[in-house]
Amino acid sequence: MQIDANEIQKIGKLAKLSFDKKEQEKYAENLNKILDFVEQMNQYDTTGITPMAHPLDIAQPMRKDAVTEPDVREDMLKLAPEANAGLYVVPQVIEDKES
Amino acid sequence: MSWEPVIGLEIHVQLKTESKIFSGAATKFGAEPNTQACAVDLALPGVLPVFNETANRMAIKFGLAIGAEIAERSVFARKNYFYPDLPKGYQISQYELPIVEKGLINVAMPDGTTKPIRITRAHLEEDAGKSVHDVFPGQTGVDLNRAGTPLLEVVTEPDFRSAEEASVFLKTLRGLIRYLEISDGNMQEGSMRCDVNVSVRRRGAEKYGTRAEVKNVNSFRFVEKAIEYEIERQILIIEDGGEIAQETRLFDPSRNETRSMRSKEEATDYRYFPCPDLLPVETTKELIEEVKATIPELPWEKQARFEADYGLNTYNASLLAQSKSSAKYFEDVIEISKAPAKLVANWMGDELAAALNKENLSIAECPISAERFAGLIARIADNTISGKIAKTVFEAMWNEANSTADDIIEKQGLKQITDPAQIKAVVEDIITQNPKQVQQYKGGNERLFGFFVGQTMKATQGKANPQQVNAVLKELLG
């Protein structure tokens, strides 16, 4: 698999990042190196091996269902660029376009 | 040529845990904005999710109840998208390896048939926060209380063929999650939310048509309306030679219509990958057995028992079994009144259901306790009062707290007249007073029989036993 500048632009758009032409080429080159590195795996026969979902071969520990976190609203709202009436305030987002 | 709709549902069920799925923040409904959102829910740098074991147990409980496969190993993945009410930039969900797969729910339809609906999967995920668009001009407010609330997303196969099937299924599902005590199942409060996939195809066709997805339809009635609108819209487009666009649409309840929500060129690409912050979840046989032991008698098991033990039809049995409280009320009334179950079922289905509906109450909020209602039923069963008089007594009981049927019957003198001599005397009077009608009746006008019954009932203020009145009239009129 090879990644080209178009692919970089597409991934960038999904990640809300923009690159100039020089950057596109640079990132394509870097990502291709990573893919080449991982490509080495294909020389091994992995038939019948369950894919791992995590590098550690242990199961997820769990917590009891209990409320342990207090209300930290005032501290958190102070960290935000803008807050009003207990809400975080961001530039207007309207996703629903009328057709 | 006729069209067949093909419908599938995706239902988000908010699980009734105390704390969030990956943090120890509270999940209470209706709290002040952002007072139940901790550092994990806000995605502050360095935080890590820790999985809530009760959310996992609830998902397993649901899976076992619908006879599904419970995954020995389930894996959380990241679903990536940007929206202000999703602070991490991704939602933690289960993708390739969900906890629950391949279940089945049999739905009792009003016409007496049973409709099997296959459940493709049910997976655990976190809810997003809420965006408020209409408070600050030109800005959006964000409340992250809901962010991280555990959700079980239930996905059905496209097995529905009508809006009614979908809506009856949703009621069945709501009954189930309430029985299991894993969710409030309240569509208005958003603890149960529904997305609907609709397509149409020519009857007999094998291939499905292109589907449209209608988002967040938040009442049973809206689900029906949205589906009906979509079916009609799609048929009109195809019959006009057009093509259905695969798209997401939004239901507008004020206009009873759906409209396009996302433009196609921004096709979603969620770039799922396993969440490196969470390890695979292992479900042991011991845990499954432990959870199995907590499953109560399920709605359809109750329904089958009601049919077998009490001789009710499937739909009536399913209505009574739909909530734990109505099933308990029904069985309590039978036990206390010793009356025939069908009589109890009819009275619960007619008078009681109508009165509850009128005041928008659930059976749990019923002003007449099972004990008092049993008192009324017992008096109908032992012929102290007729069904008609019982309605008067019922109304009085409804309006007067703590009143008993016996008190009201006594106070208002409503006791049924069953003394044959007394009834005969009244009937003889009526016959003597109406010689003209007697003559007409004997001359062949049989419709006048009702007139005599009416006169007799009127003379006894409705208290004469109607079967006895009929019998005596037949005897005396020849």
Side-chain angles (χ1 to χ4, degrees), chain B residues 13 16 58-68 100 103-107 117 119 122 152 154 168-185 192 220 294-301 318 321-324:
Chain B
V13 173
K16 218 164 63 174
M58 288 177 168
I60 294 171
K61 199 172 180 183
F62 176 78
L64 291 172
I66 60 164
V100 172
L104 184 78
I105 295 181
N106 285 309
V107 183
I117 300 297
I119 306 299
L152 186 67
V154 181
V168 178
F169 167 83
L170 282 173
K171 285 177 192 156
T172 308
L173 181 72
R174 182 182 64 175
L176 175 64
I177 59 182
R178 286 180 173 173
Y179 260 66
L180 297 174
E181 292 176 354
I182 61 172
S183 175
D184 297 330
M192 182 168 147
F220 295 115
T294 67
I295 296 181
E297 185 184 26
L298 296 172
W300 44 83
E301 290 167 349
S318 84
Q322 205 163 63
S323 83
K324 263 188 198 170

Side-chain angles (χ1 to χ4, degrees), chain A residues 20-78:
Chain A
D20 61 31
K21 208 155 167 58
K22 231 173 111 189
E23 286 172 317
Q24 281 175 23
E25 278 160 20
K26 190 180 92 190
Y27 283 111
E29 193 191 326
N30 284 343
L31 284 174
N32 279 322
K33 277 186 187 157
I34 293 170
L35 288 176
D36 287 345
F37 174 71
V38 179
E39 181 64 28
Q40 295 176 64
M41 285 298 291
N42 281 338
Q43 57 188 294
Y44 300 101
D45 180 10
T46 53
T47 320
I49 295 175
T50 315
M52 294 176 81
H54 197 280
L56 299 178
D57 192 16
I58 49 172
Q60 175 66 33
M62 298 185 206
R63 41 172 268 274
K64 291 254 173 258
D65 178 28
V67 177
T68 53
E69 298 296 323
D71 170 14
V72 289
R73 177 169 81 171
E74 294 319 311
D75 293 338
M76 295 297 163
L77 287 179
K78 272 184 222 152

Side-chain angles (χ1 to χ4, degrees), chain B residues 268-321:
Chain B
T268 41
D269 180 349
Y270 292 123
R271 295 148 294 146
Y272 282 98
F273 63 89
C275 180
D277 287 345
L278 287 154
L279 294 153
V281 178
E282 271 175 19
T283 303
T284 60
K285 289 199 174 66
E286 291 74 39
L287 177 60
I288 291 182
E289 288 310 314
E290 218 182 291
V291 174
K292 206 180 258 172
T294 67
I295 296 181
E297 185 184 26
L298 296 172
W300 44 83
E301 290 167 349
K302 265 205 170 86
Q303 172 201 319
R305 187 164 60 77
F306 286 179
E307 287 176 56
D309 291 2
Y310 303 130
L312 303 182
N313 70 38
T314 305
Y315 187 64
N316 282 343
S318 84
L319 284 185
L320 288 166

